[in-house]
Amino acid sequence: MSETGSGRPHGVDHAPAAENVEYRVAHLRDRLAAEELGELGVRAEVRAGSVVVTGTVPSAQCRETLLRTVHEELDGLSVHTDVVVAETASPDHAEDLP
């Protein structure tokens, strides 16, 4: 086996790379909770080599800000998002009950 620039043979599992992904996801979680978003209803976790971001946000603007933040923090990683906007508008008509 030949070695990589880090002195490790090619084909050997690189645990630091996995730790780096976990660190980046943890940093994303911190940003989501601490910054103007304050989005505690959004989850980010590593599944099968990809990062999955799921949850509900109160507005389309929050969703765009969230997706931009995810892109900034996890650039270069495989990321799947399933983030929906909560319907908070009042109904436009009365509900008809039987």
Side-chain angles (χ1 to χ4, degrees):
M1 280 188 189
S2 62
E3 290 188 2
T4 64
S6 65
R8 293 190 181 120
H10 284 289
V12 173
D13 189 297
H14 299 289
E19 290 174 9
N20 185 37
V21 172
E22 290 292 340
Y23 172 81
R24 291 173 68 185
V25 170
H27 191 260
L28 172 65
R29 288 182 192 127
D30 290 345
R31 274 190 69 185
L32 294 179
E35 290 186 2
E36 74 276 1
L37 284 172
E39 289 303 328
L40 298 176
V42 176
R43 294 180 55 128
E45 52 195 19
V46 179
R47 291 187 195 159
S50 294
V51 180
V52 179
V53 180
T54 59
T56 304
V57 294
S59 70
Q61 182 178 0
C62 284
R63 184 178 187 275
E64 292 303 317
T65 302
L66 170 76
L67 295 178
R68 185 174 55 251
T69 303
V70 167
H71 178 73
E72 290 170 4
E73 288 295 327
L74 305 179
D75 189 39
L77 298 177
S78 174
V79 178
H80 302 280
T81 58
D82 184 15
V83 178
V84 297
V85 176
E87 183 61 49
T88 58
S90 58
D92 59 355
H93 64 281
E95 182 178 3
D96 293 324
L97 298 175

